[in-house]
Amino acid sequence: MTRVFNFSAGPAVLPEPVLRQAAAEMLDWQGSGMSVMEMSHRGKEFVDIHARAEADLRELMAIPKNYKVLFLQGGASAQFAVVPMNLLRGKDRADYVNTGQWSKKAITDAKKYCKVNVAASSEGDNFTRAPKQSEWKLDPDAAYVHVTTNETIGGVEFHWVPDTGEVPLVADMSSHILSRPMDVSKYGLIYAGAQKNIGPAGLTIVIVRDDLLGQALPVTPTVFDYKVQAENDSMSNTPATYGIYMAGLVFQWLKKQGGLAKMEQVNRSKAALLYDYLDQTEFYHSPVAKDDRSLMNVPFTLRSADLDKAFLQTTEAAGLTQLKGHRSVGGMRASIYNAMPVEGVQALVECLKEFERKHG
Ligand SMILES: *Cc1c(COP(=O)(O)O)cnc(C)c1O
């Protein structure tokens, strides 16, 4: 068996010990005689798996008691509509910060439910930076302020928490949740699709302050009414049981690594390895403003796009896969989530050096 270093933006690399444990438990989960996939979501075994996953996530992120944790489906993309459906609370408008492809999509869907004020945008700079708070023009009557705290495609991350006063802050954290400690109490709602930094695709995590629940628009599907899901332990319908189990194994793995403060140290040193190399050569280029660079998604270009194909062949041959950048940005993108070992980043940097020696 050969495992590659997988730099995919998502679905993405998972911790090898998690995959091994899932494999070992595949046919018979802890003496139950069944796979987790075969269990009733209301049976004791699965109810325990679900409760442990939630408890571990609460511990890892230090989620305050007045926040609900929901395990939903539909991906982060469903939340683009589900957030306004639930959080308008009698208001007719919301603020959005436009920092890239994912915030744009969130804005497009929100417009179906309310007026959208684009409070700040980095589109004029080709989405290569996070707009400073001083540029934001917030509407005091907004129901909430939405921000994509890590733009997976552009590689732009907010390394600070925006201040929105009394207006709830809503964050799409899909691609950097669990990469470092976040102060949950600063947010009204956090959502994330699982397939970047949590587990397999099919599970979406929503963390929401409980005073924001209970005023969903009448058109809201029952399975997307946060209050209904909160009252039913996310089991208003059958949840993504296997995804919750896998996420739970990842949470246990993160606790074993030393928690999110430790993950931040590791992630910072991994990212520094790569950015430092990109910055000290003319051959490669990172387009993102230094203060706003993502620790998780690192886009970069080669001196000439004519070299892209040869570069991808070279990295592929070295066992480094899925480095092709998003079609909207071009070049390369290395996603270096929690589960990417430092050895993978070291191997990538070696490959960058070697390729530059040959083609520079
Ligand atoms: C991947 C991603 C999404 C979309 O997730 P889906 O699960 O495909 O709906 C939304 N926002 C961000 C920031 C992402 O990285």
Side-chain angles (χ1 to χ4, degrees):
M1 181 198 71
T2 320
R3 291 217 7 117
V4 295
F5 288 121
N6 174 5
F7 293 90
S8 169
V13 56
L14 285 166
E16 196 171 306
V18 165
L19 294 174
R20 286 186 187 282
Q21 185 174 344
E25 294 178 339
M26 178 59 73
L27 294 181
D28 176 9
W29 181 81
Q30 300 190 6
S32 65
M34 326 173 236
S35 165
V36 173
M37 274 182 258
E38 301 169 302
M39 290 174 181
S40 161
H41 58 298
R42 304 201 187 277
K44 180 173 170 3
E45 292 94 345
F46 186 75
V47 166
D48 286 352
I49 289 170
H50 179 275
R52 168 131 196 229
E54 177 175 341
D56 285 339
L57 180 64
R58 283 185 176 276
E59 184 184 331
L60 280 167
M61 293 185 73
I63 299 174
K65 284 215 167 57
N66 62 324
Y67 283 71
K68 302 289 186 196
V69 173
L70 308 178
F71 294 117
L72 305 180
Q73 299 181 58
S77 302
Q79 295 304 311
F80 296 162
V82 175
V83 163
M85 281 183 186
N86 280 271
L87 292 199
L88 283 171
R89 298 159 15 260
K91 294 184 185 259
D92 69 345
R93 61 196 61 202
D95 283 342
Y96 278 72
V97 177
N98 182 17
T99 48
Q101 306 301 328
W102 291 116
S103 14
K104 274 189 144 179
K105 289 193 174 170
I107 289 168
T108 300
D109 263 15
K111 280 183 176 162
K112 298 174 184 169
Y113 304 94
C114 64
K115 285 181 219 158
V116 168
N117 169 45
V118 176
S121 172
S122 56
E123 189 156 19
D125 297 306
N126 227 352
F127 297 129
T128 52
R129 64 185 191 93
K132 299 212 168 20
Q133 178 97 47
S134 56
E135 299 169 32
W136 293 29
K137 295 199 171 58
L138 294 173
D139 178 348
D141 291 325
Y144 59 87
V145 182
H146 181 282
V147 57
T148 309
T149 46
N150 188 67
E151 284 283 359
T152 321
I153 293 171
V156 172
E157 178 168 6
F158 280 81
H159 293 283
W160 45 279
V161 184
D163 180 2
T164 55
E166 293 298 298
V167 180
L169 178 60
V170 172
D172 176 356
M173 290 195 182
S174 292
S175 48
H176 74 157
I177 191 169
L178 300 171
S179 65
R180 54 185 171 85
M182 314 272 186
D183 184 349
V184 175
S185 72
K186 297 256 166 59
Y187 299 84
L189 185 147
I190 291 167
Y191 65 92
Q195 73 273 25
K196 302 339 183 345
N197 214 13
I198 300 174
L203 170 68
T204 314
I205 290 183
V206 173
I207 301 165
V208 57
R209 212 173 62 212
D210 56 15
D211 64 283
L212 299 175
L213 303 182
Q215 295 186 63
L217 297 179
V219 296
T220 308
T222 306
V223 294
F224 282 138
D225 184 323
Y226 295 144
K227 180 148 193 273
V228 172
Q229 288 288 17
E231 286 171 351
N232 289 282
D233 283 330
S234 308
M235 294 199 201
S236 156
N237 66 319
T238 314
T241 52
Y242 201 75
I244 293 169
Y245 159 73
M246 287 294 290
L249 294 185
V250 170
F251 301 154
Q252 288 166 31
W253 177 79
L254 285 168
K255 284 171 65 177
K256 252 191 230 145
Q257 305 311 298
L260 300 193
K262 188 65 205 302
M263 290 318 295
E264 173 168 15
Q265 280 177 15
V266 175
N267 286 327
R268 282 195 187 283
S269 59
K270 272 158 45 185
L273 265 179
L274 191 47
Y275 284 117
D276 287 351
Y277 186 73
L278 296 173
D279 283 345
Q280 57 92 47
T281 143
E282 299 282 301
F283 188 78
Y284 301 103
H285 174 66
S286 156
V288 180
K290 280 197 175 160
D291 287 348
D292 305 325
R293 287 175 173 176
S294 170
L295 300 181
M296 298 282 101
N297 309 100
V298 184
F300 62 92
T301 53
L302 276 62
R303 179 149 69 208
S304 160
D306 295 343
L307 293 166
D308 285 0
K309 214 174 141 207
F311 180 83
L312 289 167
Q313 279 166 355
T314 304
T315 47
E316 198 74 36
L320 314 177
T321 69
Q322 311 211 53
L323 280 159
K324 193 174 183 337
H326 191 270
R327 59 190 182 280
S328 67
V329 178
M332 305 299 146
R333 171 176 47 169
S335 294
I336 49 175
Y337 297 118
N338 283 341
M340 171 58 67
V342 66
E343 290 78 10
V345 182
Q346 285 163 344
L348 175 59
V349 171
E350 281 314 307
C351 220
L352 289 167
K353 282 184 192 165
E354 187 58 30
F355 190 82
E356 181 178 350
R357 245 194 313 273
K358 283 209 182 111
H359 299 268

